[in-house]
Amino acid sequence: MDRKIVLGVLGFIVVLVTIGFLLPDKMLNDKDTLPWHIEHPTPQTTHVLGITLGQSTVPEAERKYQEKAEYSLFKSPDGKMGAEIFFEEVVLNGLKAKVTLTVDVPQAEIGPMYERGLRMSATGSGSKRITLQPDDVARVRTLPITSLTYIPVIKLEEQVLQQRFGTPAQKVRETKNGVVHWLYPDHGLDMTVPTGDKPVFQYVTPNNFELLRKPLLAEGEVLQ
């Protein structure tokens, strides 16, 4: 096939996907799984992308996304540990994305999970990734999801993001890499808007939002 034709087809596909973000919600497949459709059943919960943070468990997410999850425990360079559940590819409203969940593992349990890990590998950030043994995976599956990170496969313009999410309460720029965070504390949303790259949406419950904002304010520059 002629190279120009291939490039033209690819460009048309990108335009169609981007237009999907601009069309009215009724034109999309499922309002419940749109990233800008955020609800708060209680002050301690956030319903977004088909699951309820603070309440839903991983099996519920697997059923909603129709994908099997991958489980790991991460230990950061400063010694903090947490369990992460990763979906390599989910398709919501025709848009492919990566989704990462975290669950609230009691402190008394997470250390022994680390010690029982089957394999350990290093990540580019200096953290350690531990593969959980089956019994620990089974335990993680019973715990409530506390945060969700959503990374679509396409780049989105700031104009599109502002149209869908509204004006953020605050904007903070990371001093190290220049990435700008749009903060929506009422919705528990931290949205990164890197220039020329894909946005990253991180959702928590509103009562836990300071866990996201406090480190940014300590090391970043407030723009708004």
Side-chain angles (χ1 to χ4, degrees):
M1 185 180 295
D2 186 82
R3 184 171 181 269
K4 291 184 178 179
I5 296 177
V6 172
L7 292 175
V9 171
L10 290 175
F12 181 67
I13 292 172
V14 170
V15 169
L16 286 179
V17 174
T18 303
I19 288 175
F21 270 75
L22 295 168
L23 290 173
D25 292 345
K26 63 182 180 180
M27 298 294 290
L28 299 175
N29 298 332
D30 184 1
K31 181 179 179 180
D32 188 53
T33 55
L34 293 169
W36 52 81
H37 184 74
I38 308 169
E39 298 177 329
H40 302 285
T42 72
Q44 290 76 40
T45 59
T46 294
H47 186 81
V48 64
L49 292 166
I51 65 172
T52 302
L53 304 179
Q55 180 177 310
S56 296
T57 58
V58 178
E60 294 175 61
E62 288 182 321
R63 287 193 294 271
K64 187 69 177 181
Y65 300 152
Q66 301 180 33
E67 294 288 340
K68 289 293 184 182
E70 300 175 17
Y71 299 80
S72 296
L73 189 151
F74 282 85
K75 185 175 183 180
S76 65
D78 61 5
K80 294 181 180 179
M81 291 186 287
E84 290 189 352
I85 297 87
F86 183 64
F87 292 89
E88 175 64 31
E89 182 179 284
V90 299
V91 182
L92 305 175
N93 300 286
L95 181 64
K96 293 181 181 180
K98 298 179 185 295
V99 172
T100 301
L101 311 174
T102 64
V103 300
D104 188 13
V105 180
Q107 286 300 307
E109 298 181 38
I110 199 164
M113 283 186 182
Y114 176 85
E115 296 299 329
R116 292 191 294 266
L118 300 178
R119 283 192 310 277
M120 181 185 298
S121 58
T123 68
S125 64
S127 298
K128 295 178 180 178
R129 180 178 183 271
I130 295 88
T131 302
L132 295 172
Q133 59 104 336
D135 288 344
D136 290 330
V137 169
R139 170 58 175 155
V140 167
R141 288 173 61 83
T142 69
L143 300 171
I145 298 167
T146 54
S147 74
L148 183 153
T149 300
Y150 172 80
I151 309 176
V153 298
I154 63 170
K155 301 173 184 178
L156 296 170
E157 298 295 331
E158 290 189 16
Q159 179 184 355
V160 177
L161 297 173
Q162 176 126 358
Q163 178 182 343
R164 283 304 185 176
F165 291 90
T167 302
Q170 198 169 31
K171 293 183 180 180
V172 180
R173 179 190 289 124
E174 292 187 42
T175 54
K176 291 182 179 179
N177 54 30
V179 171
V180 176
H181 294 250
W182 291 13
L183 305 181
Y184 300 82
D186 290 345
H187 282 314
L189 170 62
D190 171 6
M191 179 168 62
T192 63
V193 188
T195 302
D197 205 347
K198 304 176 186 68
V200 177
F201 307 89
Q202 187 170 1
Y203 304 88
V204 296
T205 56
N207 60 312
N208 283 329
F209 189 73
E210 286 305 310
L211 297 177
L212 298 181
R213 178 159 55 181
K214 189 175 180 179
L216 287 174
L217 295 179
E219 300 182 3
E221 174 191 1
V222 177
L223 303 179
Q224 165 186 316

